[in-house]
Each structure stands twice: as C-alpha cells, then as structure tokens.
Amino acid sequence: MSSILTNNGAMVALQTLKSINSDLADTQSMISTGKKVASAKDNASVWAISKVMEADVKGFEQISDSIAVGQSTLSVASNAAETVTDLLTQVQEKVVNANVPGADTTKIQADIDGLTEQIKSVVSAAQFNGQNLVDGSGDISILSSLDRDASGNVTAKSINVSGADLNVGGYTAQDVFGGNASGASTAGDVFTTSLAAGDTTGVTLEFDDATGTADGIDAGFAAGDKVSVSIGDQTVSYQISADVAALSGTQQTDQIAAGLKSAIDALGITDLEVEFTAGVSGTSASTLDFRVADTDGDSVSSIGKDTAITASFTNVGSGGLGALSSIDVTSDASGALAKMSGLIDTAVNAAASFGSAAGRLESQADFVSSLTDSLKSGIGSMVDADMEETSAKLQALQVQQQLGVQSLSIANQAPQTVLSLFR
C-alpha cells in the first residue's frame, strides 16, 4: 500500500542516516582527540579507572622529583665524607711524622690544626636544600613510593637515610668578660680605659664550680676537653687530662685556671699582670684577674684599650670526630696516633653508609621511572584510539553516509509515483 501521509521507506532511511552520522561524529572525535574514551559518557568504567591511574602517574612524577632531591643531598654528603676521610688520612701522616725522633712537633701541630679547621669547613658547608647529613643534625626521610591497596587506599612509603656526625667538636660556649678596676664583670665588655702613668684597669674571669653563682665557665670537663683564653689576637689553651677530669668542683677549676695563668705568663705580654685566686667550694669560683698597667713607664699600655678577654672551651664529646680536637702531638704524639684509626673508621663508615643509601635511591628511581611508563602505557591501551582502525572506519562511514543520503533521497521520491495513478 502506498501512502502520501506515511513514508516508511524514508523513515527507515532517515534513522539509518542518523546512526551513520552519529558513528561518524564519534569517529571524527577520536581522530581529533586521539582517544576512544575522552569523557565519562564514552565509557564510565574505563574513564574512572584511567583517571585514578593518571592521578597515580602524577604522584609518581612528584616522587621522582623527591628522589632526585634526595640523591643530590646524598651526593653532597658522600663527597663530604670522602673528603673528610682524605683529610684525616693527611692528619694521620702528620701524626706519624710527629712520632719520628727529632720531629718539629710544633710545626706539625700547626699543620694538624689547619687540617682540622678544613674538616670543620667541609662539614659545615655540606648541605643541600638546607639539609646536612654529616653534621649530626639527624636523619632524612625521602618519599619513594605510593602504595595503593585493593580498596583504593593510598599509603606513602619513604626511604630513611641515616645521617652521620663528622663534627670535630666546637666552641660550645663562648663568653667575653670585661670591666674595670672596680671589679664589674659584664659579658661583652672590653678594656675601655686609656691608661696614664700608674693607672690600672682589669677584668675577672670566673670558672664556675657548679654553684650556679658565677658568670664564667661551668666545671665538669671530660678528658680531652680544651679551655682557651684569647687576649686580643693571642690565644692560649689548656687541655684537660684524665687526672684533672677526675676532679670535681673547685679542685678541677683551680687546676684549669692555674694552668691557663702559666700559659698566659709565658706569652710575655708587656703591661699585663694575671693573678690566680683559688676557689672555695660552694662559696666562690676559681678566678683569673687580668690587670693592665703602665709597668714600663712609657704611659702607653702594650694592650690596646679595646682589647677583649675571650674565654671558650671545646667539648671533644660534641662530635663524632670530637677526639680530633684533643690531638696534641707536642705533648702526646703516640696517644694521637692511637686515636687516628678510630677517627678514620668513623669517616669511612659514614661514606660507606651514604654510598649504600645512594644505591637504594638509584634503584628506586629506576623502578619509579619504569613504573610510570608502564602506567602510562596501561592508560593508553584503555583510552587511546587505534588510529589505523579509526582511519579505515572513517572512510567506511563516509561511504555509508553518502549511500544513506542517496537512499533517503530515493525514499522521498516514492510518493511522486502516486501522481501517475491520477493521470
């Protein structure tokens, strides 16, 4: 039956053409975006999985940056530990030379002191991004992975790198004591009086006997600790022996103060008089009184009016290489040699530990890089369009579209045949 009101053939041709146009639009979208799943409406399940994996990829890319920073920090620390090892080896050579009969131990000690200062400089400078692994400040934790369980919960994993303590020890206390003839003693003061003939001015340096009443240096030193007093640009030191370390209270501080007085007197500073006063336990501290006077009658003191008296001490136990600061080949060359093996072992162990950690980070960096590539490949296999297949499909759909248009055109002409029935 023919009808001019209902054209079934045209409706079928139109629906077919619409379907072809829809498929053609999808194919063109794949070609323009390169994806077969570009949004959730394309395939909600695959799209959701791909977005989770893309988030993981972004996370692992940040982890790669974290590991790179950790590797740089370790590299600096490793280089520092190796440099310190080399410097300690040089110190050991000096110590061995000091044990040779007739060696100039004073000059050798000066070389050792210079190498010690260089070690301090290396340890202090060995930081990256504000982190120093060789100064004993602590360990670092480097983000190394993101673990996702079956429920989708993510846990961050880290590689902990243990720091080393290659500090030589340092000035753990430093005070400047000054004042005037009236006996005032205030940290930071200096000799401020211009001396005329017969005038005097002075300061008092107090060695606290642990009563808590003095403003000087506390007692309680260990063997190998060193107490120093600087007068202007000249410095003398007194190293604590085991016998002195065994003493307590004013017995210990008396020994220290008296030893420093002898060393200062040996400097032969014109116009300077140093007087030692023994302390009384629980009552007064051991003191050194510094008096500057015009003793040679020229109305001018050999010590400038702005000269400061500086007292400080080095605690050998404050660093992993603290024993280095107690080495003194001028008084105990054989004892210094005995200490060197342990010091070198400390530096070598630190360098070896950093090397091992660097190996772990390198392996983890390679794994994270490979894992990131695998995740990207997996995402691509789910959402990327097969361009060869899509290209062939596009051409087929274009032909189908042309045929669909032709079919619709034929179907639309069918009612025209009804007119021939009325001629």
Side-chain angles (χ1 to χ4, degrees):
M1 182 186 77
S2 298
S3 173
I4 62 172
L5 298 177
T6 304
N7 190 337
N8 291 318
M11 287 190 291
V12 171
L14 180 61
Q15 291 300 323
T16 300
L17 184 59
K18 286 182 178 180
S19 176
I20 293 171
N21 287 339
S22 177
D23 290 343
L24 185 60
D26 291 341
T27 302
Q28 289 174 334
S29 175
M30 290 183 196
I31 293 174
S32 62
T33 63
K35 293 183 177 182
K36 64 182 178 183
V37 181
S39 63
K41 71 180 179 126
D42 296 328
N43 189 318
S45 176
V46 170
W47 181 86
I49 294 173
S50 69
K51 287 304 176 182
V52 172
M53 294 178 68
E54 286 176 4
D56 287 347
V57 168
K58 293 295 184 181
F60 279 111
E61 287 175 347
Q62 293 302 313
I63 287 173
S64 294
D65 293 339
S66 171
I67 293 176
V69 172
Q71 287 177 309
S72 297
T73 304
L74 264 179
S75 177
V76 171
S78 182
N79 288 335
E82 292 173 8
T83 300
V84 169
T85 300
D86 293 339
L87 291 171
L88 286 173
T89 301
Q90 295 179 44
V91 173
Q92 181 170 263
E93 292 175 359
K94 302 292 183 183
V95 173
V96 170
N97 291 335
N99 281 271
V100 176
D104 189 342
T105 56
T106 300
K107 292 182 179 178
I108 291 175
Q109 183 62 43
D111 289 342
I112 292 174
D113 291 341
L115 290 170
T116 300
E117 290 302 315
Q118 190 173 351
I119 290 173
K120 290 180 180 179
S121 177
V122 169
V123 171
S124 176
Q127 64 86 26
F128 182 85
N129 195 32
Q131 294 179 315
N132 192 319
L133 284 174
V134 296
D135 66 354
S137 57
D139 307 335
I140 63 171
S141 181
I142 301 170
L143 183 63
S144 60
S145 181
L146 292 176
D147 294 350
R148 184 183 295 277
D149 61 22
S151 300
N153 299 317
V154 178
T155 303
K157 298 294 184 180
S158 300
I159 292 177
N160 295 319
V161 178
S162 299
D165 187 355
L166 299 183
N167 271 315
V168 177
Y171 290 118
T172 54
Q174 183 170 348
D175 296 298
V176 179
F177 295 89
N180 49 48
S182 67
S185 180
T186 306
D189 285 352
V190 294
F191 292 118
T192 57
T193 304
S194 298
L195 296 176
D199 286 347
T200 62
T201 188
V203 294
T204 299
L205 179 61
E206 300 177 334
F207 295 83
D208 193 351
D209 64 351
T211 63
T213 58
D215 57 1
I217 300 176
D218 290 337
F221 295 96
D225 288 354
K226 184 185 295 184
V227 183
S228 301
V229 172
S230 296
I231 304 165
D233 59 358
Q234 300 189 74
T235 301
V236 297
S237 299
Y238 180 87
Q239 188 164 320
I240 312 301
S241 66
D243 291 338
V244 175
L247 301 175
S248 61
T250 56
Q251 289 181 319
Q252 186 181 81
T253 55
D254 282 353
Q255 292 281 350
I256 297 171
L260 286 170
K261 170 179 165 51
S262 298
I264 295 170
D265 289 343
L267 294 176
I269 300 176
T270 305
D271 300 332
L272 178 67
E273 298 176 351
V274 181
E275 179 180 341
F276 159 64
T277 302
V280 179
S281 179
T283 303
S284 62
S286 308
T287 60
L288 287 178
D289 292 308
F290 297 83
R291 294 189 178 87
V292 180
D294 178 19
T295 58
D296 54 8
D298 60 3
S299 300
V300 179
S301 170
S302 62
I303 299 180
K305 69 176 183 177
D306 293 327
T307 300
I309 303 294
T310 304
S312 57
F313 73 88
T314 301
N315 181 352
V316 298
S318 62
L321 302 180
L324 183 61
S325 63
S326 66
I327 286 179
D328 188 348
V329 297
T330 61
S331 60
D332 187 10
S334 60
L337 185 59
K339 295 176 181 178
M340 288 309 303
S341 178
L343 291 171
I344 293 177
D345 283 346
T346 298
V348 168
N349 290 338
S353 176
F354 293 144
S356 176
R360 290 180 61 196
L361 282 180
E362 184 175 355
S363 297
Q364 185 66 15
D366 292 341
F367 168 72
V368 170
S369 176
S370 177
L371 177 60
T372 301
D373 289 343
S374 297
L375 288 173
K376 289 179 178 178
S377 178
I379 294 171
S381 65
M382 288 191 298
V383 303
D384 291 352
D386 185 335
M387 299 307 292
E388 291 86 355
E389 179 184 347
T390 304
S391 175
K393 186 176 182 180
L394 175 66
Q395 293 182 22
L397 287 171
Q398 287 175 335
V399 172
Q400 291 179 40
Q401 184 186 47
Q402 292 173 7
L403 292 174
V405 171
Q406 188 68 29
S407 175
L408 180 60
S409 176
I410 294 173
N412 285 333
Q413 291 176 2
Q416 296 292 330
T417 60
V418 177
L419 293 174
S420 63
L421 297 176
F422 297 96
R423 291 177 185 172

